[in-house]
Amino acid sequence: MEANNKSVSAVLNAPAPHMVGDGFRVHNFFPSGYRIKMSPFFMLDYNSKIEFSARNEPRGVGVHPHRGFETVTIAYHGAVAHHDSAGNSGIIYPGDVQWMTAASGILHKEYHEEEFSKKGGAFQMVQLWINLPAKYKMSTPKYQDIQHSRMAKYQLPDNAGIIEVIAGEYHGLAGSASTFSALHLFNAKLNKGGKATFSFPSSYNTGFLIIEGGIKINGKETAATDQFVHFTNSGSEIEIEALENSVILVLSGEPIDEPIAQYGPFLMNTAEEIQQALSDYNQGKFGYLEE
């Protein structure tokens, strides 16, 4: 039903990269790269595929605070170790997802995993910042470690590929991540010529990041590796066809219609809340984490 297709607003090239710490070379698609509506997703940092040389001292990002949102890190190549001030730590390997709800505040650091660092190799990651509704911004921090082996996977017909459901649901199959607002987050892994269809409410902000390969959308526009497809807030149906073996990160969510105040790693609703976050951080209320 073409009349109900969700049409493409723009196919966006990756903005110029910048370094986050010395371990992540990222393209920021939004909010700074492009001014596009993607709430509840506030930020998309994409570490496109690069080779890191072997190194004994792991590259990464030192201790930094977060408050008021969630960070979601998705690994495609390489491995990342993380630690926080609540005593949580872990490693995400290719296919894994680390979903950190910073909420009321946490100190965090993330580095290339030690063995990966010593060997070097291909590295490719996505980090999303997902806004929290005001009523949840000061809730207790928590983690969801979503291992690839336990991820919900929907097998597409005709050997088209699989949809890995991280959050939300696809054809009735629910992802394991619990969320504070309505959203869907999938990895679509399609074989060449494979097709997949998606249906999202017209009001949901929707975008696809092409991790690998290339696709045709609704039989019209095409998008290639490292491009981001932004959709209009009209229609609900999307069909994609893989022009080659492809991996696509699918994001769609109900907008959080609340004011935003952001300063560095704090994402709140008012300037006063930002001041409070700075004060709490400076007073050590986010806990302690060794560099």
Side-chain angles (χ1 to χ4, degrees):
M1 249 177 79
E2 193 165 318
N4 199 32
N5 281 352
K6 192 180 276 290
S7 56
V8 172
S9 164
V11 177
L12 305 170
N13 292 322
H18 66 274
M19 292 301 295
V20 176
D22 65 356
F24 302 90
R25 189 202 67 168
V26 303
H27 310 270
N28 182 265
F29 274 97
F30 57 85
S32 62
Y34 295 98
R35 300 269 175 197
I36 54 176
K37 283 196 213 166
M38 279 302 296
S39 173
F41 308 98
F42 179 78
M43 188 193 82
L44 169 55
D45 265 353
Y46 172 46
N47 190 128
S48 59
K49 192 174 176 184
I50 56 169
E51 293 282 330
F52 275 110
S53 58
R55 184 165 146 175
N56 284 328
E57 188 68 27
R59 301 171 175 90
V61 184
V63 177
H64 54 281
H66 291 304
R67 174 179 279 183
F69 63 101
E70 304 182 285
T71 68
V72 177
T73 306
I74 307 165
Y76 295 97
H77 293 278
V80 171
H82 62 90
H83 301 268
D84 76 13
S85 53
N88 298 299
S89 64
I91 299 169
I92 55 169
Y93 294 102
D96 296 344
V97 176
Q98 181 226 62
W99 197 298
M100 182 180 82
T101 304
S104 63
I106 209 161
L107 299 180
H108 190 237
K109 63 179 180 179
E110 46 212 327
Y111 287 88
H112 293 189
E113 184 270 332
E114 206 170 337
E115 289 307 309
F116 169 77
S117 193
K118 285 176 182 172
K119 291 176 186 170
F123 191 84
Q124 188 179 26
M125 301 269 161
V126 166
Q127 186 169 93
L128 295 164
W129 287 12
I130 299 179
N131 194 14
L132 287 171
K135 63 182 175 181
Y136 298 120
K137 282 188 180 292
M138 293 300 287
S139 57
T140 305
K142 68 170 186 174
Y143 270 97
Q144 301 175 78
D145 280 313
I146 304 165
Q147 293 180 349
H148 184 255
S149 60
R150 299 207 299 266
M151 202 175 279
K153 300 176 181 75
Y154 183 92
Q155 296 283 342
L156 295 165
D158 306 320
N159 194 36
I162 62 170
I163 307 295
E164 297 175 351
V165 187
I166 301 166
E169 66 167 47
Y170 184 80
H171 288 294
L173 184 66
S176 59
S178 67
T179 65
F180 291 84
S181 63
L183 61 90
H184 302 280
L185 189 61
F186 313 142
N187 271 320
K189 296 183 174 178
L190 303 183
N191 298 318
K192 183 178 180 180
K195 292 183 178 180
T197 57
F198 303 92
S199 182
F200 303 120
S202 60
S203 60
Y204 279 29
N205 291 324
T206 302
F208 291 0
L209 176 62
I210 315 304
I211 302 292
E212 191 179 297
I215 59 170
K216 183 175 276 192
I217 305 133
N218 292 332
K220 297 176 184 173
E221 293 91 349
T222 60
T225 304
D226 300 343
Q227 289 186 317
F228 186 83
V229 184
H230 187 238
F231 291 89
T232 60
N233 293 104
S234 60
S236 59
E237 308 303 310
I238 302 168
E239 181 190 76
I240 60 173
E241 178 184 356
L243 302 175
E244 52 190 300
N245 291 347
S246 299
V247 178
I248 304 99
L249 178 63
V250 176
L251 304 83
S252 187
E254 183 176 22
I256 297 173
D257 189 18
E258 295 174 351
I260 282 179
Q262 186 237 341
Y263 178 79
F266 306 124
L267 183 58
M268 304 303 289
N269 298 103
T270 67
E272 290 76 18
E273 289 169 339
I274 293 290
Q275 290 299 325
Q276 187 64 54
L278 282 163
S279 173
D280 289 349
Y281 170 60
N282 289 329
Q283 289 177 50
K285 292 184 179 177
F286 284 49
Y288 174 76
L289 182 61
E290 193 175 324
E291 281 285 357

